[in-house]
Amino acid sequence: EKIPKIWAVTSGKGGVGKTFVSTSLAFTLSKLGHSVILADFDFSGANVHTALGLKPSHLNIRHYIEGIKPLGELVIPTPFPHLSYIQGYWDTWSTADLTPLNAVNLFSDLRKLQADYIIIDSGVGTVDKYLDIFRSADEKILVTSTEPTSIEKTYRFVENFICHSLRDKSTPEAYTKLIKTLRDYRQKILDKPFSFKTYLKESEGFTLEPFLSLSRQPVRMVLNSVRSQSLIALGYSMKSVCYKYYDLRIDYIGGLDYDNAVWQSIKNR
C-alpha cells in the first residue's frame, strides 16, 4: 500500500491566494494522472468548494473531529478525473475544534487514505492548530503577495513557526525565557542582534536539532499576484532576510503573475 505525500499550503495573511494555489496544485497533479485529495482544513473560512465550482457538502471535517464519521467517509468525488476533496467547515457556528492530539490522529488517518497526494488548504495565521498541520506536512508551502502588509505577516508567520517548532523540544522555563528575549530584541532593549542558532547553542533547556531540521526540510515560499517582473526578485530578498534575521533557510520557488481572470472566475461562481 502506498502512503500519500501530504503538502500543506498556508499564509500569514488572508486574501493572498492561498486557496487558489492549493486548488491549482491539486488540479495540476490530477491532470498529470495522480490521484489527489484536496482537504479544506481552514476552520474559520472554508471555501475550497467555491474554487472547485461546487456547492458546499453537508459532509465536512466537523463530522471527523466530533467522532461522527471516519475520515475516509468524508472524501467526496469531484467532476474532475483523479480529484476528490474533503469539505471544510462552512457551518462556522459549530463548536468542534482541532486540538494538538486531534492533529496527530488526523495525520495518521490522512496517511491511510487512498491517494498519491493530499493537498491541505490550511487556515491563515499562527494559531497552534494550523502550525501543527504545517509542521507535520511532507511539503510546507507558504503563500505571500507583494503587498507590504502581507510581507510583514509572512515574516511574523516564519518567526512563530520557528518558536512553535521549538516549544515541544524545550523546557517550559527555557521557552518562556526565549520569548522574553525575542520581545526585548523587538523593543530594541538588547544591545546586540538576536540569532536563533546562537541563542539555542548558548542556552540551557534546548536542543539545536529541531531548529536545524527546519532548514533541511525548508518551507517553500510562493509569491502570488506579481504585477511586474521586477517584483519577482522580492522573493529572493525575503529569503535573504529570513536567513539574516532568523538563521533559517527557506526555498523561494517562484512568483505567479497577477491575472484578473482568477478574480473574475470566482465572481462568476
Side-chain angles (χ1 to χ4, degrees):
E1 292 185 2
K2 58 187 176 185
I3 299 175
K5 298 179 178 66
I6 301 177
W7 296 2
V9 183
T10 192
S11 60
K13 183 180 182 298
V16 300
K18 170 181 63 66
T19 299
F20 166 73
V21 170
S22 58
T23 307
S24 297
L25 278 171
F27 271 125
T28 302
L29 288 167
S30 66
K31 287 180 178 180
L32 291 172
H34 300 291
S35 58
V36 182
I37 297 173
L38 178 58
D40 194 340
F41 291 165
D42 186 338
F43 297 100
S44 59
N47 58 0
V48 157
H49 58 279
T50 304
L52 292 175
L54 304 173
K55 294 180 180 179
S57 170
H58 70 285
L59 287 175
N60 61 59
I61 192 62
R62 175 177 60 81
H63 294 89
Y64 170 79
I65 294 174
E66 292 182 348
I68 298 173
K69 287 185 176 294
L71 194 62
E73 293 186 15
L74 300 179
V75 178
I76 305 168
T78 74
F80 313 104
H82 311 299
L83 179 60
S84 304
Y85 82 109
I86 296 175
Q87 171 73 54
Y89 281 113
W90 59 269
D91 50 348
T92 52
W93 58 86
S94 173
T95 58
D97 205 357
L98 195 69
T99 65
L101 182 60
N102 290 147
V104 172
N105 294 335
L106 174 63
F107 267 78
S108 176
D109 290 338
L110 280 172
R111 296 192 188 278
K112 297 174 185 174
L113 298 179
Q114 297 299 306
D116 297 323
Y117 291 92
I118 296 174
I119 309 298
I120 296 176
D121 185 56
S122 185
V124 171
T126 56
V127 182
D128 275 359
K129 57 191 173 187
Y130 297 143
L131 291 171
D132 284 334
I133 289 172
F134 198 62
R135 185 175 62 172
S136 302
D138 301 318
E139 289 287 352
K140 306 166 183 62
I141 300 167
L142 178 60
V143 181
T144 184
S145 74
T146 61
E147 298 299 322
T149 51
S150 175
I151 294 168
E152 181 185 15
K153 290 286 188 178
T154 299
Y155 289 139
R156 296 289 80 80
F157 178 90
V158 170
E159 190 174 73
N160 275 275
F161 180 59
I162 294 171
C163 292
H164 181 80
S165 300
L166 294 173
R167 186 173 63 189
D168 294 342
K169 305 296 182 181
S170 63
T171 64
E173 296 79 14
Y175 185 76
T176 299
K177 186 178 178 181
L178 168 64
I179 298 304
K180 181 182 183 305
T181 304
L182 278 172
R183 286 178 179 149
D184 289 346
Y185 173 55
R186 293 286 171 242
Q187 295 169 11
K188 303 186 184 303
I189 295 173
L190 297 183
D191 57 359
K192 61 181 180 179
F194 177 84
S195 162
F196 270 105
K197 190 179 294 183
T198 302
Y199 182 87
L200 296 174
K201 284 181 178 179
E202 296 176 350
S203 302
E204 296 183 356
F206 290 101
T207 57
L208 193 58
E209 173 55 30
F211 180 78
L212 296 177
S213 68
L214 296 178
S215 291
R216 287 199 300 270
Q217 295 180 311
V219 170
R220 319 283 189 186
M221 188 176 71
V222 174
L223 195 61
N224 191 35
S225 298
V226 177
R227 293 176 182 265
S228 70
Q229 283 302 304
S230 62
L231 289 174
I232 289 287
L234 178 61
Y236 296 107
S237 299
M238 294 178 70
K239 174 181 178 178
S240 177
V241 167
C242 286
Y243 185 68
K244 179 178 179 180
Y245 290 100
Y246 302 137
D247 303 307
L248 183 72
R249 296 185 185 277
I250 65 171
D251 183 16
Y252 173 48
I253 56 177
L256 299 173
D257 291 338
Y258 173 81
D259 189 342
N260 192 60
V262 176
W263 175 86
Q264 189 65 49
S265 67
I266 297 295
K267 178 177 179 292
N268 290 345
R269 173 56 193 166

